[in-house]
Amino acid sequence: MNQVVSKPRKYSLVERAPAESVEAERLHRKQRLAATFRLFSRYGFDQGLAGHVTVRDPEFPNQFWINPLGKFFGQIKVSDLQLVDHDGNILIGDKPINQAGFVIHSAIHAAHPEVLAAAHTHSTYGKAWSALGRLLDPLTQDSCAFYEDHALFDPFSGVVLAADEGRKIAEALGSKKAVILQNHGLLTVGPTIEAAAW
């Protein structure tokens, strides 16, 4: 009955070495962004034309990469990503983008320079929870990760097409890592794409 159990191995997070160039960092971010779309598709975090994930460009911090409108998340490649500025100009790419996605993400990136990436989903469970109009209870280890680090955006006023609505969402987020958009979905941010996607 009494077995000798070996000591657990020690693990530590190792900070990623800086990229050798701006181009290498841009490619790294775009690869992670495309991978995030694929993962979101696999786990059902996509819905029709809704949902978008963005990452700030490493050379031009007032520009960000976003998914094209109408492209299935499970098929998004690095070459599909569109570079836009805060005025809505598509600087790289030839596909349209989701206007609501632009309004939300532009406001988030403008108001929060510390945010590298932002993810907005209309996942089934996220929408169901958002309809309750309440914050997450710290009942599981997953929800504890958001304890006192998420907000509620209420009231939902429909598809976010006005710049003022995007600014209100950015204000509701404040310095937190997530905001539940009542009757709408979820929005998360992070210092990396991986953090925002998680």
Side-chain angles (χ1 to χ4, degrees), residues 25-189:
E25 179 62 24
R26 181 176 292 124
L27 179 60
H28 173 83
R29 292 181 187 188
K30 289 173 66 179
Q31 287 171 335
R32 266 77 191 152
L33 184 57
T36 295
F37 286 114
R38 301 272 180 120
L39 286 169
F40 276 21
S41 171
R42 172 173 273 192
Y43 293 109
F45 294 169
D46 57 343
Q47 181 195 43
L49 300 177
H52 11 84
V53 186
T54 57
V55 66
R56 211 180 277 279
D57 187 79
E59 185 175 8
F60 305 105
N62 290 327
Q63 299 171 7
F64 55 93
W65 295 91
I66 190 170
N67 52 305
L69 179 67
K71 180 83 173 187
F72 172 55
F73 279 15
Q75 296 177 338
I76 290 180
K77 305 181 300 261
V78 168
S79 60
D80 293 317
L81 300 172
Q82 311 283 297
L83 181 65
V84 298
D85 63 17
H86 288 288
D87 295 322
N89 300 308
I90 298 174
L91 306 171
I92 296 178
D94 59 0
K95 309 258 185 320
I97 59 171
N98 183 311
Q99 187 61 30
F102 164 74
V103 169
I104 293 169
H105 290 265
S106 178
I108 295 289
H109 286 295
H112 302 287
E114 74 285 1
V115 167
L116 184 76
H120 172 56
T121 69
H122 290 225
S123 63
T124 301
Y125 302 117
K127 285 189 306 181
W129 184 265
S130 76
L132 299 175
R134 49 185 291 223
L135 296 174
L136 296 171
D137 296 315
L139 300 175
T140 67
Q141 65 184 15
D142 298 320
S143 63
C144 282
F146 294 94
Y147 180 67
E148 296 186 349
D149 205 8
H150 69 297
L152 178 66
F153 178 71
D154 174 33
F156 175 57
S157 59
V159 178
V160 181
L161 297 176
D164 188 49
E165 191 74 1
R167 282 191 291 277
K168 288 178 187 175
I169 292 172
E171 281 177 23
L173 175 67
S175 63
K176 301 187 180 328
K177 65 179 160 190
V179 62
I180 297 169
L181 308 174
Q182 187 169 355
N183 301 315
H184 184 169
L186 308 173
L187 178 92
T188 58
V189 299

